[in-house]
Amino acid sequence: MARILVTGGTGYIGSHTVVELMQQGYDVVIVDNLSNSNAEVLNGIEAIVGRKPDFENADCTNYVEMERIFNTYQPIDGVIHFAASKAVGESVEQPLMYYRNNIGSLLTLLEIMHVFPTKNLVFSSSCTVYGQPDAEHLPVDENAPLKKALSPYGNTKKINEDIIQDAAYADATLNATILRYFNPIGAHPSALIGELPNGVPNNLLPFVTQTAAGIRQELKVFGNDYNTPDGSCIRDYIYVVDLAKAHVKAIERMLNVPEREQVEIFNLGTGRGLSVLEIVNGFEKATGVRVPYTIVGRREGDIEQVWAAPQKANNILGWSAQTPIEDVLRSAWNWEKHLRNLS
Ligand code: NAD
Ligand code: WQD
């Protein structure tokens, strides 16, 4: 079976993807410097799958280390590149660190892939590249114009997409799949792996589950005066396990469909927008647990509404988001309970 190198594989989306890859029989080598994850995730993966992936504690920006890893594990049939720093606010405060880590790690990988026989790259991009799409581009498809990034983090995604396009143009043997994720949420149904936010969560779902667990007093809903049906912002919340499965589809396509385009781009979302208040109400309904909240002012830099047109991924990757939102919200709660030893 093919071997896939997964950078950032002990992280949130990476760990779920490693599980799906291994369950489909792939051999997996994880490269992660544990800057935003924990080696215990490997035990969670082993408990779910029944075997451990290979693991290298290394920094993807380090050419010498990455070269050693590529030499050790040949043949490597594909790379899924999750490793990146991803906190939007932190990126505004430490832009150089974000540019060095997120762009440096991709450059290193591409330089190494240029000299090794490994030619298939899957890259984690984000719907952040679309900014606030104009009304005629909602739901947003892959041809919608890209907008100026609102943060250095967002800019690294745009720049990395450009770097991949340029590298592929110059090297006809390089294949890439760029996946633009919408808002990943939830945890594995086993509750053995999930999201591990650092400190006070910025993202909605971890804040909701921590409030439900009593760790936070109340959720602040950032604005109810947007031009949306209930006034709160709308996003396309995509279940992390569904998202993980899309990566397996992307790898399968790269390995088995030679007539694909050299660089393909897919939106990964459900195609359905949900408001902040719909998420909060849905969570209460799905779990029976109350989430106290207050409405506060808008958060700077927030986009009013965005959701995906996922038809390209549906038709070409043969993938679609399958899991009902109630199950997704319940999975997030079960993970929070597992983390806090709540029954
Ligand atoms: P995460 O922080 O949980 O996982 C990223 C992993 O990469 C972590 O385990 C971290 O330790 C590792 N890492 C970071 N820099 C590294 C380096 N230089 N060398 C080796 N390892 C390194 O984040 P995630 O939510 O799983 O995100 C995965 C990818 O998806 C990222 O590229 C992120 O930008 C992208 N993405 C995430 C979201 C989201 O909302 N979670 C949305 C769109 C895109
Ligand atoms: C969702 C909605 C908030 C917290 C961010 C990044 C983006 C992408 C995904 C990686 C918004 C509201 C939130 C809270 C709230 N990441 N909210 N109270 O802003 O869509 O995107 O994560 O690429 O780049 O910017 O996600 O989870 O922060 O917010 O009301 O305490 O929940 O205003 O409408 P966002 P989010």
Side-chain angles (χ1 to χ4, degrees):
M1 194 67 175
R3 176 178 293 133
I4 308 298
L5 187 141
V6 181
T7 76
T10 47
Y12 174 43
I13 307 170
S15 57
H16 289 83
T17 301
V18 168
V19 164
E20 296 302 319
L21 284 167
M22 292 178 75
Q23 284 181 334
Q24 292 306 311
Y26 288 92
D27 289 328
V28 172
V29 184
I30 293 177
V31 180
D32 201 301
N33 65 0
L34 304 179
S35 57
N36 198 38
S37 56
N38 193 307
E40 285 201 0
V41 169
L42 299 168
N43 299 328
I45 293 172
E46 185 180 21
I48 296 169
V49 180
R51 62 200 163 99
K52 255 196 179 142
D54 287 307
F55 175 68
E56 293 281 344
N57 182 346
D59 195 308
C60 295
T61 62
N62 184 328
Y63 188 94
V64 174
E65 271 285 273
M66 292 302 287
E67 190 182 37
R68 176 189 62 75
I69 291 167
F70 268 71
N71 271 319
T72 306
Y73 292 96
Q74 281 304 321
I76 296 170
D77 302 281
V79 176
I80 307 181
H81 182 44
F82 292 104
S85 306
K86 64 159 182 179
V88 174
E90 186 182 58
S91 80
V92 176
E93 284 153 23
Q94 300 181 57
L96 302 185
M97 189 274 264
Y98 270 68
Y99 286 115
R100 182 170 296 280
N101 196 42
N102 293 5
I103 295 173
S105 54
L106 177 72
L107 288 177
T108 306
L109 259 182
L110 288 173
E111 283 166 355
I112 286 180
M113 289 175 70
H114 191 63
V115 292
F116 276 85
T118 307
K119 298 297 176 194
N120 296 313
L121 174 71
V122 177
F123 175 68
S124 299
S125 190
S126 166
C127 69
T128 191
V129 298
Y130 298 117
Q132 174 62 67
D134 300 331
E136 74 262 28
H137 291 300
L138 273 176
V140 68
D141 72 22
E142 293 81 354
N143 296 318
L146 305 191
K147 296 263 173 82
K148 185 174 162 28
L150 292 170
S151 69
Y153 165 75
N155 207 23
T156 67
K157 292 298 173 194
K158 168 71 172 61
I159 293 169
N160 276 349
E161 286 199 10
D162 289 345
I163 290 172
I164 289 169
Q165 296 280 6
D166 290 347
Y169 184 80
D171 176 358
T173 66
L174 176 68
N175 299 306
T177 305
I178 292 172
L179 301 177
R180 293 179 179 154
Y181 314 152
F182 282 65
N183 287 57
I185 59 167
H188 195 267
S190 64
L192 292 169
I193 55 172
E195 192 170 5
L196 282 173
N198 249 330
V200 182
N202 293 309
N203 293 118
L204 179 61
L205 245 289
F207 209 105
V208 165
T209 56
Q210 289 194 10
T211 307
I215 297 157
R216 314 274 158 214
Q217 225 172 15
E218 60 179 15
L219 170 75
K220 292 183 173 60
V221 173
F222 298 135
N224 68 347
D225 58 351
Y226 285 98
N227 185 22
T228 61
D230 66 22
S232 63
C233 292
I234 291 177
R235 297 287 184 276
D236 189 332
Y237 294 94
I238 169 82
Y239 184 37
V240 67
V241 175
D242 287 337
L243 188 61
K245 290 181 174 157
H247 293 75
V248 180
K249 294 281 191 186
I251 285 288
E252 275 170 6
R253 181 170 168 80
M254 297 186 90
L255 297 182
N256 302 322
V257 183
E259 63 274 18
R260 64 184 293 285
E261 285 174 30
Q262 201 188 344
V263 180
E264 292 185 324
I265 301 180
F266 297 101
N267 281 348
L268 297 180
T270 65
R272 179 179 174 209
L274 290 174
S275 74
V276 177
L277 293 173
E278 283 175 319
I279 287 287
V280 174
N281 294 334
F283 181 89
E284 291 186 336
K285 203 164 155 223
T287 63
V289 183
R290 226 172 63 77
V291 180
Y293 70 86
T294 50
I295 310 279
V296 301
R298 294 179 176 198
R299 181 172 70 175
E300 197 191 327
D302 255 342
I303 280 157
E304 179 175 272
Q305 46 186 323
V306 62
W307 69 98
Q311 281 73 22
K312 189 177 173 197
N314 299 163
N315 297 335
I316 295 181
L317 282 184
W319 168 91
S320 62
Q322 297 282 348
T323 312
I325 186 70
E326 299 74 29
D327 294 354
V328 178
L329 295 170
R330 224 175 280 123
S331 78
W333 178 230
N334 288 338
W335 168 244
E336 187 70 53
K337 286 198 290 186
H338 169 85
L339 277 180
R340 314 289 163 192
N341 292 319
L342 301 173
S343 54

